[in-house]
Amino acid sequence: MLEDKKQTFLANFVAKTADKDSSLAKQEALKALENLEFPTTREEYWKYTRVGKITNANYSQSPSFNVSDISRYLVEGLEAYIVVFVNGFFSEELSDISKAKGITICPIAKARKEYVDQFEQYFGGLSKHESQFFSAVNTVYNTNGVYLNIQKNSLVDKPIHMINLTDAENAAYNPRNLFVVEENAEVTIINSYETVSGSSFTNSTTEIYVKEGANVDSYILQNQSETSNQVNEIDVVQKANSTYTANTVTLNGGLVRNNYNIEVKGQGCETNLYGLYLTSGNQHIDNHTIVDHIEPNCESNEVYIGVMDDASTAVFNGKVFVRSEAQKTNAYQQNKNMLLTDNASAYSKPELEIYADDVKCSHGSTTGQVDEEAIFYLQTRGVSEVSARKMMIRAFANEILDNIKIDALRDILESKIDERFS
Amino acid sequence: MLSIKNLSASVDGTEILKGLNLEVNAGEVHAIMGPNGSGKSTLASVVAGKDDYEVLGEITLNGKDILELAPEERAAEGVFLAFQYPVEIPGVSNVNFLKTAVNDIRAYKGLPPMVAKDFLKMLKEKQALVELDKKLSSRSVNEGFSGGEKKRNEIFQMAMLNPKLAILDETDSGLDIDALRIVANGVNKLKSLDNATIVITHYQRLLDYIIPDFVHVLYDGKIIKSGTKELALELEEKGYDWLIKPEMAQ
């Protein structure tokens, strides 16, 4: 019975994956899928997230798309290289990567044929396709995504904005990204997920190689419809003296699960993970992060902040490992939740596993409500209750928004958040 | 200006104000004194519109019934409460929140938002009035402020909002003598023939700086004695017992 359900789910993808991929990772994932089942709440990693919304739906890969205007999905006022995917298909017409300097950027399907050596070296080297069901599905059935290689010492002049859109009913797609940021290169990457129409399942896997001295500033913006679900795996390896920063902002979606797996494999690294999630309705947003400190003298900062409205649910599980070799590690982890109603819930589990003895690590978690004393205080100054609540929520969210280095992006997020609470 | 008639207020079935009457006219300063637990802070909260209380009776401001108004509407009508314990609001900047407050009140009165230049000019003037460090006004509301800075910030906000009726709830508590002088000086400069001030205090000390026209003694939810500023001096000398004991005997 369950086996049938899995086969039916997988059958949605099989016939339509045109791409010929003979990679080792794909073979491994195919083999793993023989035994891997849908995750259940019986496993610790999925304890608070039921994937029935995804596994019971009748998804299929959409054969085409109708989007012709992407202006409303751009970041207003931001000059960027634009890569557009609709229902998992790369759209050359809607994209603008022609003048990119010092970088190789192309759909991953193309890279598979043209950059065979790099592909063999990197593809599947980080993804959890042997242990995680959705990662395996992505590795076998990935439709498209971006291959990005930033050459040594290149400072990419504009952010690269990848826009993932869907416009079909029950559209399932498996975007697969592979980013290789070479020594001392710097790049800003924005990945946005939006629904044009219909409903979808986005099963995304991204592998990021951050080489010695490289600096990657990445943004994930999730703003899909409430009937759209997403599982998003981001696997990162950092080499010495590199910086990797991830800002994950979830404004909308049905069931959203983000899995960050970060291996810090070099000294002098900095890792920053910032997350903001605003949930409403019956939304379920789950952020799982793992930062694995393997080498000494590194620093990681993690702050996830959420505001939960209506009957929505948020889950945070952040795990920091400090291996026995990783002396002088500085690791900070914080999760803060604000519940706006009695029916909203937050499950928070910050975890530290420390095997070294000369480290500075702290973690914490708070879940509370809007401070009613503060609301009254603001009201006595003439501020309406609605504005006062908006101010308090914005102040709470600002801790994350303040980390966003792209002004145009921060402005847009601020106005979206203000709109939401007015 | 302010007329309170037969006001009672209870919280969870416990009556705190028990039929209180008070008349305050424009241009007047009233002091309300009384022992701990007599209902002074409750009176301030009820007038400002805190909804934790079950309220009966009548409160009018310039003839308008304000009991059914939300706190922000009362503020727009001209009520201001300087808190005994000003609330810290991390992440909300003093200036931005005052801009919203000033413009929300203007919108209530049907006026357009204030021009940025005028707002900044007013900000500077009022900062000087209470000798508030410029840095404080750009920081988060009251966050990390000392006790004195918090109280000065209250008077600064009062100056920015220019209320008709200001209620100062134990504004002198936690102030050293220099801060007390600055705060009192600010209040005195804001005093005019068109506005009124109610000073709630435990000590006569503040009344050396803010001279009241009338002094009331609040005890067990009612005003049991009213007089002029000499009453405060008498209280300082004799305490409250001589007033309370005959009350209890009744």
Side-chain angles (χ1 to χ4, degrees), chain A residues 243-263:
Chain A
T243 301
Y244 172 74
T245 303
N247 297 276
T248 310
V249 180
T250 312
L251 296 175
N252 238 318
L255 188 165
V256 178
R257 167 69 182 248
N258 297 313
N259 302 315
Y260 274 93
N261 303 300
I262 298 166
E263 286 177 80

Side-chain angles (χ1 to χ4, degrees), chain B residues 75-96:
Chain B
E77 291 288 345
V79 177
F80 181 88
L81 172 62
F83 281 56
Q84 181 177 5
Y85 304 108
V87 185
E88 295 195 15
I89 314 181
V92 173
S93 103
N94 235 348
V95 174
N96 284 345

Side-chain angles (χ1 to χ4, degrees), chain A residues 371 373-387 391-392 394-396 398, chain B residues 49-50 71-72 75 80-81 83 87 89-92 97 100-101 104-105 142 154 157 161:
Chain A
D371 180 355
E373 268 299 305
I375 298 283
F376 176 63
Y377 184 82
L378 293 170
Q379 281 182 282
T380 62
R381 272 55 181 152
V383 178
S384 72
E385 193 185 339
V386 171
S387 300
M391 256 183 215
M392 297 293 292
R394 262 293 297 284
F396 192 63
N398 272 350
Chain B
K50 192 159 199 196
E72 63 268 30
F80 181 88
L81 172 62
F83 281 56
V87 185
I89 314 181
V92 173
F97 127 71
T100 307
D104 278 4
I105 289 175
N142 295 325
E154 294 294 284
Q157 293 174 32
L161 300 174

